[in-house]
Amino acid sequence: MARRVLKLASLVAATSGIYLYGNKFLDPNDFGVVRVGRAIATTAVITYDYLTSLRSVPYGSEEYDFLKSQVHLRSAERLRELCCANRGTFIKVGQHLGALDYLLPEEYTRTLKVLHSQAPQSTRQEIEQVIREDLGKEIKELFLSFEDTPLGAASLAQVHKAVLQDGRTVAVKIQHPKVQAQSSKDILLMEVLLLVVKQIFPDFEFMWLVEEAKKNLPLELDFLNEGRNAEKVAHMLKNFDFLKVPRIYWELSTRRVLLMEFMEGGQVNDRAYMERNGINVNEISRNLGRLYSEMIFVNGFVHCDPHPGNVLVKKCPASGKAHIILLDHGLYQVLSESFRMDYCRLWQALIKADMKRVQKYSRRLGAGDLYPLFACMLTARSWESVNRGIDRLPVSASEDVEIRSNAAAYLPQITRLLNNVPRQMLLLLKTNDLLRGIESALHTRASASSFLNMSRCCIRAVSTYQRSKSHSLYRRAQISLTEALSLWQINLHELFLWLKGSQLGNWVIALLSWMHHST
C-alpha cells in the first residue's frame, strides 16, 4: 500500500513539475520559498566571505586593504545578482544603495549603479492584465496605438508610449503585477536578515534602510499619490519657466496605472546630447541647483529620486530655451519646519566656513560628536576643504580619492550617524548624492553659482520663518531690510564673478592694470 502511495505521489510530482516548467506564465519568483532561500544563501555566503577572508591578515596593512577591496567587490556582485533575480523591492533597495556615493565603499556603489539599467520588464500579457483589471477595458479599446517596447523599465513599473482615441500622445506608467503582493514580504525578509548580520557584525547598522523602505514603498506603489505629487510640485514651482512637469490624465489613472502627458528629451547627465543640441551645460546645472534649493530650503517638499532617467532636458524649438523635464514623482520627502530651518542654517554655516555654527546645527540635526563626518558627508568634501570654505576651491581628483577611502574606513561611524540623524535626512543625503553625480558627469561640480543659489534660498527661507514668528511691524520690516541687503550682496558678488570670468572683465582688468603701471 505504501509503495502504491509513493508511486502515485511521484507521478503527481513529476506531472506537476512538467506542467510548471512548461507553463510560460509561471515564474519561480512567484514562490516565496525560492525568493527567501536565495536571499538567505546570498547573505550567508557574503557573511562567510567577510569572516574568513580577512581573519589572518594584519589590520591596516596593504594586504588587508587589498583583500578587503576584493571582498567588497565580490559581495557587491553577489548582492547585485540577488537583486536582479528577486527583482521588485530588491532592485529598489539596491538602486538606493548604489546612489549612496561617499557613504558606502566604491566597490558597492559602482557595482549596484547598473541596477538602474537592469530593471525587469513585464510581458505584454501582464500589462494587458493590469490595464484590464484597473481600467476595465482592453488596450485596443483605450488606445489607437500602444508601443510594446517600454520607454523605460524601473524596479516597480514600466512606461509605454501610446496614442489615445482622441489623438493625444501619452506616457502610460504600469506597475509590475506581482510587486504589490511581494513588497511587504520582501521588506520583512530584509529586516530579519539585517538583524542576523548585525548580531555577527555589531558595527553593521543598516536598519535605517529597511525603515525607509517600509515607510516609502507603499507611497511609491500608489500611482494616485504620484499624480498628486506631480501637480503639487508643478504649482509650487510655477515661477520657474524652465521646469516642465507632465500633466496627469486622471480619468484613466488608478493606483497601478498612471496616464501622463508624453514628454521626451535627453538625460540630464548626457553632456554630448546637450552639446549636439546647443544646450548650455552650465545653465542646466545652475537651473537644476536652483530647482532643488527651492524645494529643499524654501518649500520643504523634495523630489527624492533625481537619477538621470527621471530628469530630462530638451531645447524648445520656438523659444530656444532649454527645459528641464522632471519625471517620476512617487518619492517625495516633506521636511518639518524646525528641521528645514536647522538645515538652512547649517548650509549657511558650511558656505561661510563658520565652524562653531557648523558644530551647533550638526548637533541639532543628530550628528553629535560626529559633526565633522556629517559635514563631509553633506558636502562630499574633505574636512580640510570644509574648514577652508567649500566655495573656495573646486573638487580635485585627489580629494575625491581621499573621500572614497575615508568612506570605507569610517563605515561603522557612518552607519551609526545614519541611525542617529532624523529620518528626513536620509532621503536628502540620497538626493544630494544623485545631484552630485549629475554635476560630476557634466563637469560642473561645486561651481560658485550653485552655492550662491543655495545661499539665496537659505536667506529667503530663514527670513520668511522669522517674519512669521514676529508680531512687531518694526521687527518684520527690519527682517525684510536685512534680507534685501543680504540678497543684494550675493547679486553683487555674482556680478563680480561673472565679470572676472568674461571677456569684458578681462578688458577691464587689463585697462586698470595699464592705468596703474602708467601712473
Side-chain angles (χ1 to χ4, degrees):
M1 181 67 180
R3 188 175 297 174
R4 287 178 63 189
V5 170
L6 185 60
K7 282 184 178 179
L8 182 61
S10 302
L11 181 63
V12 170
T15 306
S16 302
I18 293 168
Y19 170 76
L20 292 174
Y21 181 78
N23 190 337
K24 62 182 178 181
F25 298 109
L26 243 144
D27 186 336
N29 282 298
D30 292 343
F31 298 98
V33 67
V34 174
R35 302 168 65 78
V36 171
R38 191 184 285 136
I40 291 173
T42 302
T43 305
V45 170
I46 290 174
T47 302
Y48 181 78
D49 199 357
Y50 274 103
L51 284 173
T52 57
S53 297
L54 303 172
R55 188 166 50 195
S56 57
V57 185
Y59 179 81
S61 63
E62 286 187 16
E63 184 184 2
Y64 182 90
D65 290 340
F66 174 76
L67 288 175
K68 183 174 68 173
S69 177
Q70 294 301 304
V71 177
H72 284 335
L73 186 58
R74 287 196 300 270
S75 301
E77 287 170 349
R78 288 168 182 145
L79 195 56
R80 182 191 63 204
E81 288 167 9
L82 170 64
C83 292
C84 290
N86 276 10
R87 303 187 298 186
T89 310
F90 280 82
I91 285 188
K92 189 72 184 175
V93 172
Q95 287 172 343
H96 192 162
L97 289 171
L100 295 177
D101 286 322
Y102 311 106
L103 303 186
L104 288 178
E106 185 186 6
E107 292 86 351
Y108 277 91
T109 56
R110 187 179 68 242
T111 304
L112 295 175
K113 268 185 186 355
V114 301
L115 290 175
H116 282 295
S117 58
Q118 289 186 2
Q121 290 187 17
S122 293
T123 64
R124 171 77 180 208
Q125 290 89 345
E126 290 172 324
I127 292 301
E128 287 175 344
Q129 176 191 340
V130 173
I131 289 178
R132 191 184 307 117
E133 289 174 357
D134 280 41
L135 298 177
K137 291 184 178 180
E138 299 295 333
I139 284 179
K140 61 184 178 183
E141 296 177 76
L142 294 166
F143 306 104
L144 282 175
S145 65
F146 187 94
E147 293 187 2
D148 284 345
T149 304
L151 296 168
S155 55
L156 307 181
Q158 61 194 52
V159 180
H160 292 259
K161 184 179 180 181
V163 179
L164 291 170
Q165 295 291 349
D166 60 10
R168 287 177 293 176
T169 304
V170 294
V172 189
K173 184 172 182 178
I174 304 158
Q175 196 172 111
H176 299 311
K178 298 159 190 170
V179 169
Q180 283 274 8
Q182 293 171 346
S183 60
S184 57
K185 298 169 189 172
D186 286 346
I187 291 174
L188 178 61
L189 173 60
M190 290 179 199
E191 187 172 19
V192 171
L193 291 176
L194 285 174
L195 285 170
V196 171
V197 171
K198 182 168 168 51
Q199 294 300 312
I200 301 169
F201 302 103
D203 289 336
F204 185 89
E205 297 179 356
F206 270 76
M207 293 311 298
W208 57 270
L209 188 61
V210 174
E211 289 168 11
E212 284 301 291
K214 270 185 184 177
K215 182 182 75 175
N216 295 317
L217 200 58
L219 295 174
E220 290 189 79
L221 289 170
D222 181 0
F223 289 176
L224 294 177
N225 176 68
E226 178 175 344
R228 289 190 291 269
N229 286 343
E231 289 194 340
K232 181 175 178 178
V233 81
H235 177 74
M236 192 175 75
L237 302 174
K238 61 185 177 184
N239 293 331
F240 290 139
D241 59 355
F242 60 82
L243 174 65
K244 299 298 174 186
V245 176
R247 177 187 166 194
I248 306 299
Y249 298 118
W250 290 108
E251 68 275 15
L252 290 172
S253 293
T254 69
R255 287 174 63 88
R256 295 194 300 168
V257 179
L258 188 66
L259 252 72
M260 303 164 281
E261 176 186 4
F262 176 75
M263 290 184 172
E264 59 184 341
Q267 290 195 355
V268 72
N269 63 342
D270 191 343
R271 188 182 175 97
Y273 167 87
M274 295 188 209
E275 289 172 352
R276 284 197 310 272
N277 289 273
I279 297 173
N280 188 311
V281 172
N282 291 316
E283 181 187 351
I284 291 295
S285 183
R286 185 166 59 249
N287 284 341
L288 191 62
R290 286 176 61 196
L291 195 63
Y292 271 86
S293 291
E294 191 80 13
M295 282 193 274
I296 292 169
F297 299 114
V298 179
N299 295 293
F301 186 66
V302 190
H303 180 284
C304 285
D305 203 10
H307 74 75
N310 289 340
V311 187
L312 308 180
V313 294
K314 186 176 183 180
K315 192 169 187 176
C316 176
S319 64
K321 286 186 177 180
H323 291 156
I324 293 177
I325 302 166
L326 199 58
L327 306 174
D328 196 347
H329 299 271
L331 186 59
Y332 271 76
Q333 179 67 70
V334 179
L335 308 180
S336 68
E337 190 173 64
S338 59
F339 175 91
R340 187 164 55 89
M341 287 302 103
D342 285 340
Y343 195 61
C344 279
R345 290 178 170 120
L346 173 57
W347 268 104
Q348 285 179 307
L350 286 166
I351 292 169
K352 293 176 181 176
D354 184 342
M355 290 301 108
K356 285 186 179 179
R357 284 168 63 85
V358 166
Q359 180 176 351
K360 175 184 175 181
Y361 289 107
S362 294
R363 287 181 181 277
R364 285 181 63 159
L365 288 169
D369 293 334
L370 295 173
Y371 71 89
L373 178 62
F374 185 52
C376 294
M377 285 166 59
L378 277 178
T379 59
R381 302 297 301 268
S382 66
W383 182 236
E384 181 186 354
S385 295
V386 171
N387 274 278
R388 291 175 63 185
I390 53 176
D391 62 337
R392 304 289 170 83
L393 292 172
V395 185
S396 64
S398 60
E399 186 179 3
D400 247 345
V401 171
E402 178 190 346
I403 292 165
R404 288 191 177 279
S405 301
N406 287 341
Y410 288 101
L411 187 57
Q413 291 89 338
I414 289 172
T415 52
R416 192 166 88 242
L417 184 59
L418 292 176
N419 275 290
N420 291 340
V421 296
R423 301 298 90 185
Q424 301 168 78
M425 181 61 71
L426 299 177
L427 282 179
L428 285 188
L429 287 168
K430 172 193 171 186
T431 304
N432 285 346
D433 284 334
L434 287 168
L435 291 172
R436 272 194 289 265
I438 291 170
E439 288 179 345
S440 295
L442 298 180
H443 306 144
T444 58
R445 174 104 181 270
S447 63
S449 63
S450 66
F451 293 120
L452 293 175
N453 284 324
M454 289 175 71
S455 296
R456 284 192 184 95
C457 287
C458 289
I459 289 166
R460 286 169 47 219
V462 171
S463 299
T464 300
Y465 172 76
Q466 289 174 336
R467 278 193 296 268
S468 72
K469 297 298 179 183
S470 174
H471 301 292
S472 163
L473 185 62
Y474 171 75
R475 175 60 183 150
R476 287 200 296 269
Q478 190 180 41
I479 292 167
S480 297
L481 179 60
T482 303
E483 176 188 9
L485 287 172
S486 298
L487 292 174
W488 181 79
Q489 284 180 325
I490 291 175
N491 291 339
L492 196 62
H493 183 58
E494 190 169 44
L495 177 63
F496 168 76
L497 290 176
W498 178 80
L499 282 171
K500 188 178 176 183
S502 68
Q503 188 63 46
L504 175 62
N506 291 332
W507 290 342
V508 171
I509 292 170
L511 178 63
L512 291 173
S513 178
W514 177 79
M515 291 174 65
H516 174 73
H517 288 300
S518 297
T519 56

